[in-house]
Amino acid sequence: MTTLSPTPLRNAHDIAVFERSMPLAQRLGASSIYDVFVASAGNCPDHTALTMLMTGAADEEPRRVSYHELLGLVRRCANMFHAVGGKRPGVAYMLPNLVETHATLWGAETAGFAVPINFLLQAEHIAELLQAAGASILVTLGPHPQLDIWQKALQVKALLPGVLLLRVTPPSTPAMNGVLDFHTLLAAQPADHLVFGEPGRGDDIAAYFHTGGTTGTPKLVVHTHHNQLAAAYGGSVLTHMSDSDVLTMGLPLFHVAATIFCGLSCFMSGVHLLLMSPAGFRNPAMVQSIWHIVERYGATMVGAVPTALGALLEVPIGDCDISGVRVGFCGAASLPRAVGERFTQLTDKPLYEVLGMTEAAGLISIDPASGVPAPGSVGYPLPYTEVVIRRLQAEGLLGAACEPNEIGVLTVRGPTVSPGYKDPQQNQGVFVDGVLNSGDLAYKDADGRIYIAGRSKDLIIRSGHNIDPQMIENAMATHPAVALAAAVAMPDAYAGELPVCYVSLRSGAVAQADELQAHAQKTIAERPAWPRHIHIVDAIPLTTVGKIYKPQLRLDATQRLLAELVHGKLGLAQARIEVAEGGKRGMRVTVTLPAAHADAVLQVQQALAGFVFESVVAVA
């Protein structure tokens, strides 16, 4: 077994010893993303790097790519991008999960820089991102019966005529004027060397990842080669990845967790990646076949966002042999404790919660997979990374470090931290003297493990999808009847959080919720950001300085949700529901039942178990 950490790391002491024994630069032995693929191809050339599943059926003959072949694809792509885009080209891509997507991403970072694009965005917003990043090439999927990626790509081309379109299509697809064929150009390039000299490395920009909202000035996070290498290395050693591991990979490759923890970390260690169809775990066939796939391909690591993991755990294991699974991973959104407990019950293996952030190259902390996970914890900081929980002072300023178990703001310093946003004006309050203010509320226990208690910023995370509430608010403000709009997160047992919007109307104006909902769906670019509910209220709560006071709205959204669940669905109309800020998970819910309904305690507990807030069910 080949691993980056021959001695498994189990706790904070092991991590500290590991850090002191050798500098990170010496451990990495690489300064370029390209170096990772050269090293892996040298160490295990014939080992499978990627298996591309399309159906998950027992008789499927999937495409397999060895580490030697993957290095060749990365070289060909890098050479192609240099040939059509010149020196250090910016390469954006809108692709589902394919072997070509990996080749594009890592080839782009080798020749220039990558710009991963969420193809669910609308065309005009994609064009804004490409323009802001300075991308000159767009690699995109050709016409597809279910996906509208190609149609969006043509719209982007119309908005940005100077962008070169490279189309990934089957060989029989007719040529199109003004569009370059990906596979034709790829085949013309050598696979055994780079034609342009040295690849990007060190502090060179490897990628721009978009984050936050999609209206106004795009927010692009800078990733250097060093950032990504440090994050990937830390993820690999803490999880003790090796060339005997096989990982089920269902995240989209525009997501930073997919590219770093479920990508680069694995390639550093010789892991065999199972690409769970182009749609990942959004493909019902992959979900329903999961345990058969685990058995058939000998998966040792199972990873997913909480919503997808919950769906996987609904599938009976039956007589499938999943004894090869050694560990499960979950990230991108808060994990409901009930989901973690169910994973361990079904698999008899631990589930580890990963904390990541685009501004920290996708990884901040995780419990060592060779140790015992602490329920509710996102583990210890990556090696060579410093995480300090600091007191939140007036006007949002950060103070001294918190004591153990004291809730404060999580800050990060170290080699994974991005140099900042492409637009330096957006750095204020986030990047300060090399320190990243994560916006997360958290605390550490006496052993140094990290626990997330909520967020000081207002980001809404729906199934791992980051939604900027300002995007919703700006769209709603364009309705002529709306005076003020405030979007907040409502807890959801499946998605973790869903966006809801509170609206106050202009004096004398009249509007109905369904009319406002139609306006939202017409004007909000991202479908996941469409509000689940729009509440028309007399007034939106404001602070003394006139800012919207969102904590009160979040409590109200939760109160409404629980009234519908407990009073309505469960039929417990006399139950008293109290929602308050605080607790280790940011919100406390107390449901008090009258004595006559004491026998419903377990029923209510089960109904609340899927949410991430703290809950207590009592009898009056």
Side-chain angles (χ1 to χ4, degrees):
M1 181 178 76
T2 302
T3 176
L4 298 179
S5 175
T7 303
L9 306 180
R10 294 184 173 86
N11 50 43
H13 175 266
D14 288 352
I15 296 171
V17 171
F18 183 80
E19 289 175 331
R20 290 195 298 268
S21 63
M22 190 182 298
L24 175 61
Q26 189 175 343
R27 288 197 183 279
L28 283 175
S31 62
S32 170
I33 299 301
Y34 175 69
D35 294 341
V36 171
F37 296 93
V38 172
S40 295
N43 292 335
C44 48
D46 299 323
H47 188 62
T48 301
L50 298 170
T51 293
M52 182 72 240
L53 301 179
M54 300 301 289
T55 67
D59 59 353
E60 180 179 5
E61 291 293 334
R63 179 183 179 186
R64 295 176 183 267
V65 177
S66 71
Y67 270 94
H68 172 73
E69 291 168 331
L70 180 58
L71 172 61
L73 284 170
V74 171
R75 282 176 174 152
R76 285 182 188 273
C77 268
N79 291 335
M80 174 176 65
F81 295 143
H82 175 79
V84 301
K87 184 178 181 181
R88 300 291 295 155
V91 182
Y93 63 85
M94 293 196 303
L95 294 168
N97 285 9
L98 302 167
V99 170
E100 287 80 3
T101 315
H102 273 286
T104 295
L105 168 60
W106 308 118
E109 294 199 357
T110 297
F113 60 88
V115 187
I117 295 292
N118 178 351
F119 51 78
L120 300 177
L121 299 177
Q122 292 187 356
E124 58 268 26
H125 302 289
I126 294 170
E128 288 178 3
L129 291 168
L130 266 62
Q131 192 168 35
S136 59
I137 299 169
L138 175 59
V139 183
T140 185
L141 188 70
H144 189 277
Q146 281 85 42
L147 300 173
D148 64 352
I149 295 176
W150 176 240
Q151 291 86 338
K152 289 181 179 179
L154 292 178
Q155 294 175 52
V156 171
K157 175 69 172 175
L159 292 167
L160 301 174
V163 169
L164 295 173
L165 277 189
L166 269 69
R167 187 174 63 171
V168 178
T169 59
S172 59
T173 306
M176 182 175 178
N177 288 335
V179 177
L180 303 175
D181 183 76
F182 180 91
H183 287 109
T184 301
L185 293 178
L186 194 71
Q189 297 297 329
D192 60 348
H193 70 285
L194 298 178
V195 300
F196 53 85
E198 285 295 304
R201 61 179 65 253
D203 291 331
D204 290 338
I205 295 171
Y208 292 116
F209 277 82
H210 62 87
T211 187
T214 58
T215 57
T217 304
K219 212 169 191 180
L220 292 165
V221 181
V222 177
H223 278 196
T224 68
H225 287 258
H226 188 52
N227 292 153
Q228 292 191 347
L229 290 169
Y233 183 82
S236 176
V237 297
L238 283 190
T239 55
H240 203 53
M241 291 182 181
S242 76
D243 58 4
S244 62
D245 278 318
V246 181
L247 171 67
T248 59
M249 214 297 277
L251 286 169
L253 274 166
F254 56 74
H255 195 291
V256 70
T259 61
I260 305 301
F261 182 63
C262 297
L264 198 58
S265 290
C266 297
F267 296 135
M268 278 185 170
S269 313
V271 172
H272 173 186
L273 276 186
L274 290 175
L275 301 184
M276 307 293 285
S277 87
F281 286 129
R282 290 178 296 155
N283 182 345
M286 293 295 109
V287 174
Q288 292 304 313
S289 304
I290 180 61
W291 305 119
H292 292 284
I293 291 171
V294 166
E295 178 184 31
R296 190 175 306 127
Y297 295 96
T300 62
M301 302 186 294
V302 177
V305 299
T307 50
L309 189 63
L312 299 180
L313 296 176
E314 292 299 315
V315 178
I317 293 176
D319 58 359
C320 293
D321 180 5
I322 65 167
S323 58
V325 175
R326 69 177 180 90
V327 68
F329 299 112
C330 191
S334 296
L335 174 70
R337 181 163 293 190
V339 174
E341 291 172 350
R342 180 160 174 76
F343 180 89
T344 300
Q345 289 169 0
L346 286 180
T347 67
D348 196 32
K349 296 298 189 296
L351 181 68
Y352 293 83
E353 196 170 353
V354 182
L355 176 64
M357 191 174 180
T358 307
E359 288 84 348
L363 279 173
I364 294 173
S365 68
I366 185 172
D367 255 329
S370 299
V372 179
S377 172
V378 293
Y380 300 106
L382 299 188
Y384 307 99
T385 298
E386 179 187 23
V387 172
V388 177
I389 313 299
R390 299 176 64 182
R391 292 181 180 131
L392 184 61
Q393 298 180 324
E395 302 301 322
L397 297 177
L398 300 181
C402 293
E403 297 295 326
N405 297 306
E406 179 186 359
I407 294 175
V409 177
L410 185 147
T411 65
V412 188
R413 181 196 295 272
T416 67
V417 174
S418 164
Y421 298 111
K422 189 173 188 298
D423 180 356
Q425 296 182 44
Q426 297 171 333
N427 290 340
Q428 186 175 1
V430 181
F431 297 98
V432 182
D433 298 328
V435 176
L436 168 64
N437 177 354
S438 74
D440 288 321
L441 295 175
Y443 65 97
K444 284 185 177 181
D445 63 17
D447 293 327
R449 276 191 171 99
I450 302 167
Y451 296 77
I452 300 300
R455 288 187 306 281
S456 60
K457 59 185 180 182
D458 295 319
L459 195 69
I460 301 166
I461 302 180
R462 176 179 183 169
S463 299
H465 183 92
N466 291 352
I467 299 169
D468 185 346
Q470 189 173 8
M471 171 175 53
I472 301 171
E473 294 159 2
N474 288 345
M476 297 310 300
T478 63
H479 191 284
V482 172
L484 191 61
V488 297
M490 177 185 76
D492 185 74
Y494 174 74
E497 294 177 347
L498 291 174
V500 297
C501 190
Y502 288 80
V503 168
S504 62
L505 303 180
R506 297 181 182 276
S507 178
V510 177
Q512 302 300 318
D514 56 353
E515 173 192 345
L516 296 175
Q517 188 66 257
H519 179 78
Q521 295 179 13
K522 181 181 177 181
T523 55
I524 295 174
E526 298 180 47
R527 187 184 182 96
W530 292 356
R532 175 54 60 94
H533 302 293
I534 294 180
H535 303 300
I536 301 173
V537 294
D538 291 336
I540 289 177
L542 303 175
T543 66
T544 54
V545 294
K547 294 182 179 180
I548 296 173
Y549 187 64
K550 291 192 173 181
Q552 184 175 329
L553 295 177
R554 283 191 285 268
L555 296 180
D556 181 80
T558 305
Q559 186 84 31
R560 291 173 186 254
L561 166 74
L562 294 176
E564 182 179 348
L565 174 63
V566 177
H567 296 160
K569 186 175 179 180
L570 300 183
L572 300 169
Q574 302 305 313
R576 187 171 72 251
I577 301 168
E578 298 173 88
V579 183
E581 287 188 87
K584 298 301 186 183
R585 311 207 75 173
M587 187 180 292
R588 290 193 185 97
V589 169
T590 302
V591 178
T592 305
L593 302 175
H597 292 297
D599 58 346
V601 168
L602 180 59
Q603 182 186 18
V604 178
Q605 288 174 336
Q606 290 173 338
L608 300 182
F611 296 94
V612 297
F613 49 64
E614 285 187 7
S615 60
V616 175
V617 182
V619 178

